[in-house]
Amino acid sequence: LNRKMDPKKAADFAGRLKKAGPRGIGAGLGIVALASGIYGVTQSVYTVEGGHRAIIFSRLSGIKPDIYVEGLHFKVPWFQYPIIYDIRSRPRRITSPTGSKDLQMVNISLRVLSRPNAIALPHIYSQLG
């Protein structure tokens, strides 16, 4: 079969392709730009919950001396990331079996409440990790 296409129809078809091409590419680029913008915004905010404190580690300058309290905070994605500490008091029970005067074994337990000092968090992180 040897079919020939009418030149007018071929020119009309080529014109339609030319018009549809950039518009489709523009819409695709718009969707990619929107998705990357949403991803950038979600990656640049973090929340510090109540009873917690945060410090920032920067890939460029190391641990920043600032301490961030509860709330919504901003960071530079990939260059900074927050390290969040729980600063609420936590109980720890220490038990020890010991002997009494009449040579009986007695269990003594001590309950200790401890919490990290919020002002010293950057120093604690740099020394202990």
Side-chain angles (χ1 to χ4, degrees), residues 1-6:
L1 291 171
N2 192 4
R3 295 186 182 180
K4 291 188 178 180
M5 187 176 238
D6 185 22

Side-chain angles (χ1 to χ4, degrees), residues 27-103:
L29 289 176
I31 290 171
V32 168
L34 179 67
S36 63
I38 290 172
Y39 177 77
V41 167
T42 59
Q43 293 298 311
S44 66
V45 295
Y46 65 97
T47 304
V48 179
E49 301 292 331
H52 293 73
R53 297 291 184 266
I55 59 174
I56 293 286
F57 178 80
S58 173
R59 293 181 191 259
L60 302 175
S61 62
I63 299 168
K64 303 231 178 200
D66 302 328
I67 299 156
Y68 297 94
V69 296
E70 298 96 357
L72 185 68
H73 301 284
F74 296 98
K75 66 178 178 129
V76 179
W78 194 81
F79 287 110
Q80 296 177 336
Y81 65 90
I83 300 150
I84 298 176
Y85 282 97
D86 183 3
I87 62 162
R88 294 176 287 189
S89 294
R90 278 179 274 173
R92 181 176 178 204
R93 184 174 300 261
I94 302 168
T95 60
S96 174
T98 185
S100 66
K101 279 186 178 181
D102 57 352
L103 302 176

Side-chain angles (χ1 to χ4, degrees), residues 7-30:
K8 287 183 179 179
K9 288 183 180 178
D12 183 46
F13 182 70
R16 287 184 194 171
L17 284 177
K18 191 181 273 188
K19 288 179 184 176
R23 182 176 31 168
I25 291 173
L29 289 176

Side-chain angles (χ1 to χ4, degrees), residues 83-127:
I83 300 150
I84 298 176
Y85 282 97
D86 183 3
I87 62 162
R88 294 176 287 189
S89 294
R90 278 179 274 173
R92 181 176 178 204
R93 184 174 300 261
I94 302 168
T95 60
S96 174
T98 185
S100 66
K101 279 186 178 181
D102 57 352
L103 302 176
Q104 291 183 0
M105 294 302 291
V106 178
N107 285 329
I108 294 179
S109 64
L110 175 68
R111 184 174 185 237
V112 179
L113 292 174
S114 65
R115 65 186 176 114
N117 185 2
I119 295 173
L121 286 178
H123 180 70
I124 291 171
Y125 185 77
S126 64
Q127 296 297 316

